[in-house]
């Protein structure tokens, strides 16, 4: 049986930040499940960088079914976790079921990949204290407040935690995450 990886997300997640790791990890041979607050069709968004805007713009994105609700997830069944960005982490960090899941992954030092606004979730459980991370650059102060050392780089690897700024950094992010996965949780 293939090793399982969990993606935690919700409505308003960035489409590419969910679907790229979902497809890339499946291509590598992992079984990938998407968990959300409830089993439902999730509505993702597309964040783009356009000339003349001080920040990214947001447009409706793809829809995708959640395989599981957070309350249905047994973290012991998964070898790694992926935390996409977008606006979803802003409200998901308040979900007590999700915080329990995240804590289980960090307590057992399983590989975790986070991108963009995803580190807001790991900050909510104290998982960034003393760590080196990157995130969407506008979150630099949030990362420092969470006790992390922020680095404005494509990808930052700190032990089993692999973080990236946003979807333009996907290649570097998944390359580094797969290096960690192959060492800690190879496909069986």
């Amino acid at each position: 049986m293939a090793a399982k990886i969990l993606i935690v997300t919700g409505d308003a997640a960035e489409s590419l930040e969910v679907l790229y790791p979902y497809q890339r990890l499946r291509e590598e041979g992992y079984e990938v499940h998407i968990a959300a607050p409830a089993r439902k069709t999730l509505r993702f968004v597309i964040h783009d960088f356009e000339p003349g805007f001080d920040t990214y713009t947001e447009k409706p994105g793809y829809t995708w079914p959640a395989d599981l609700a957070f309350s249905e997830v047994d973290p012991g069944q998964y070898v790694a976790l992926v935390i996409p960005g977008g606006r979803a982490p802003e409200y998901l960090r308040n979900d007590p079921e999700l915080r329990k899941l995240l804590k289980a992954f960090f307590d057992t030092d399983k590989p975790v990949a986070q991108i963009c606004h995803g580190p807001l979730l790991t900050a909510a459980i104290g998982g960034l204290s003393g760590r080196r991370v990157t995130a969407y650059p506008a979150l630099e102060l949030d990362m420092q407040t969470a006790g992390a050392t922020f680095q404005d780089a494509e990808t930052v690897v700190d032990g089993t935690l692999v973080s990236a700024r946003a979807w333009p950094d996907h290649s570097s992010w998944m390359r580094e995450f797969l290096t960690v996965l192959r060492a800690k949780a190879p496909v069986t």
Side-chain angles (χ1 to χ4, degrees):
M1 179 166 31
K4 296 180 190 176
I5 296 177
L6 184 67
I7 297 176
V8 293
T9 195
D11 288 329
E14 212 300 319
S15 294
L16 288 173
E17 294 174 2
V18 176
L19 296 176
Y20 178 78
Y22 177 83
Q23 292 171 339
R24 180 64 189 95
L25 293 166
R26 288 182 49 152
E27 177 183 52
E28 193 71 18
Y30 292 94
E31 184 177 337
V32 182
H33 296 158
I34 295 176
R39 282 187 194 226
K40 67 174 214 164
T41 298
L42 298 168
R43 294 175 303 271
F44 300 145
V45 296
I46 296 170
H47 288 156
D48 207 354
F49 304 96
E50 298 182 34
F53 281 79
D54 292 332
T55 188
Y56 55 84
T57 60
E58 183 173 284
K59 300 165 185 67
Y62 295 104
T63 59
W64 200 266
D67 299 303
L68 302 159
F70 295 147
S71 61
E72 298 173 309
V73 174
D74 173 2
Q77 298 295 307
Y78 295 90
V79 299
L81 176 69
V82 176
I83 307 171
R87 282 185 299 112
E90 294 173 14
Y91 71 91
L92 291 176
R93 63 185 163 177
N94 297 307
D95 188 304
E97 289 293 327
L98 178 55
R99 288 195 310 266
K100 283 192 299 190
L101 287 176
L102 295 172
K103 190 163 175 14
F105 280 90
F106 275 82
D107 286 351
T108 55
D109 198 34
K110 291 182 180 179
V112 174
Q114 59 183 10
I115 190 167
C116 191
H117 286 69
L120 290 174
L121 295 178
T122 52
I125 62 157
L128 299 182
S129 184
R131 308 291 295 258
R132 290 177 303 105
V133 300
T134 194
Y136 188 70
L139 297 183
E140 180 176 358
L141 292 176
D142 298 277
M143 299 299 95
Q144 291 170 350
T145 299
T149 299
F150 179 83
Q151 297 177 333
D152 187 6
E154 278 187 346
T155 304
V156 173
V157 179
D158 185 328
T160 57
L161 179 63
V162 181
S163 52
R165 294 174 299 196
W167 60 261
D169 299 332
H170 273 165
S171 297
S172 173
W173 182 49
M174 278 295 107
R175 183 173 45 254
E176 295 298 332
F177 187 54
L178 284 166
T179 298
V180 171
L181 280 174
R182 289 175 184 132
K184 292 279 286 185
V187 175
T188 54

